[in-house]
Amino acid sequence: MKLILASASPRRAELVRKTGCDFVIRPSDAEEVILPSATETAAANAALKALSVKAEDGCVVLGADTVVSSADDRPLGKPHSEEEAFAMLRELCGRTHVVITGIYLTDGTRSAHEEVKTRVTFAPFDENLVRAYIATGKPFDKAGGYGIQDKELKDLVVRVDGDVDNVIGLPVAAVRRLLRENFL
């Protein structure tokens, strides 16, 4: 099976490689939306991305969107400034939050979708660690202002309950299962 990845994310492309499927990258030009809840936001954006890319014969388009949920289920997107990254990370520290990735698959006729949730617990706020991480520039292309795979944050991540690939940007096991159940 051949996939069309509707994303320009290098992290997501690396995760798609783990599915074992051949794939091509065709970034979506869909305008992302922010809805009241993080789950609704992830689901809607995954669908928008997948449906904005034409499905070719014999191919399945994969759209995905990862959202970090605040304590009150508010979607935390990508920070646009150092201050915004600092505020997001401060909010997440010392608590457990949920990371949701919406996945949407379509071959132009059929579709399948799912929202996968992973709980992540951060250590208490450490201003020096957070400021040093922000100085790397890494928070600005990641939902919630962090990448769990970033070595600078290893001391902040206390626990991950669920699929770590989901937190990075694509729940590979769920994608494999949806492809098997709906497109093979």
Side-chain angles (χ1 to χ4, degrees), residues 101-179:
T101 299
I103 47 179
Y104 192 98
L105 296 158
T106 183
D107 64 3
T109 306
R110 297 168 291 174
S111 63
H113 63 89
E114 186 172 323
E115 294 75 49
V116 177
K117 297 179 180 184
T118 302
R119 295 172 58 80
V120 179
T121 303
F122 275 5
F125 181 69
D126 178 333
E127 184 170 352
N128 291 333
L129 188 151
V130 168
R131 290 204 184 277
Y133 179 62
I134 292 169
T136 69
K138 292 180 180 179
F140 302 106
D141 69 339
K142 297 174 178 88
Y146 78 93
I148 200 158
Q149 69 279 10
D150 294 339
K151 65 181 184 324
E152 297 88 352
L153 285 185
K154 69 177 174 18
D155 292 336
L156 198 58
V157 179
V158 173
R159 182 179 173 144
V160 177
D161 295 308
D163 185 348
V164 74
D165 285 344
N166 184 50
V167 183
I168 296 170
L170 188 69
V172 175
V175 170
R176 281 187 192 132
R177 180 179 41 73
L178 286 173
L179 286 169

Side-chain angles (χ1 to χ4, degrees), residues 12-30:
R12 198 161 279 143
E14 190 59 38
L15 290 165
V16 168
R17 282 185 185 85
K18 292 171 65 173
T19 67
C21 295
D22 288 334
F23 72 99
V24 295
I25 296 171
R26 300 240 165 73
S28 167
D29 61 0

